[in-house]
Amino acid sequence: DQLLLGGESEVQLSDLAGNAMSLPVVSACILSAFCIAPHAAAAAATAAKDEVGESSAEEAEAAPPHPPSAAPEPAAAPSGAEHKRFSFGPFVGLAGRAQCCSVLCTCESSGDVSQHGILRCSCCQATLCGMCAAHVQLESHTMLPLHPEGGRFGADAAAGDGDGATPEEFEGSLRRAMPDALQLEEPLAGSGIGTELFRLLRVDRDRDAVRIKYVSHGGEG
């Protein structure tokens, strides 16, 4: 709170008050004072750490060599775990039903199913329902009915007990058929996917496709 001044004259004191005691100089001095203590503490901690490291190295050199330890045995799998090889081959036959239950028109993007017949271009494979096609210029497309017989879900419903005939039923049948967890036998090179456990997350109804999504919360990839 007090300045320790020496035998300065009044002129010198005036110079100090007007120049050396300006705001930038005072701020720099205060900032330097704040930085001195942490810097000194960090230097002391580094020196102490170096001393501990040197003493540990000297003790390691003086200690007799230890015999080589045996390699650790791999951890055994849990007794209740049961692993079965899984293949997507049996699901290839569901491709037609998945295509019927996918999003086939822009009006179905919100999760609805169009009540009108679906048309597909024989060239670019674009799909639209009959109602939306009436409001789109399709002169450059060759639109043909995608399900000429039995309607979009009629064939599936007539083929059996109706399981999977609608998108909601098809999603339920997929969830029952797919395993709750998947694990690769070996990592996929260059993909970042390892042998961690993948859990079934959800079944998404996308444009012209039904996607099954698995998720892993960490592990090797």
Side-chain angles (χ1 to χ4, degrees), residues 61-78:
E61 292 177 357
H66 295 281
S69 57
E73 298 182 357

Side-chain angles (χ1 to χ4, degrees), residues 56-131:
S56 299
E58 294 176 356
E59 293 176 359
E61 292 177 357
H66 295 281
S69 57
E73 298 182 357
S79 58
E82 181 179 359
H83 300 279
K84 295 182 179 179
R85 185 179 296 273
F86 178 78
S87 173
F88 287 94
F91 293 88
V92 176
L94 299 177
R97 184 177 298 175
Q99 187 267 340
C100 292
C101 295
S102 64
V103 176
L104 297 179
C105 185
T106 54
C107 64
E108 296 183 347
S109 58
S110 61
D112 298 331
V113 176
S114 177
Q115 301 301 319
H116 302 271
I118 300 297
L119 304 175
R120 181 189 290 277
C121 178
S122 59
C123 298
C124 67
Q125 303 301 309
T127 56
L128 285 173
C129 72
M131 183 182 67

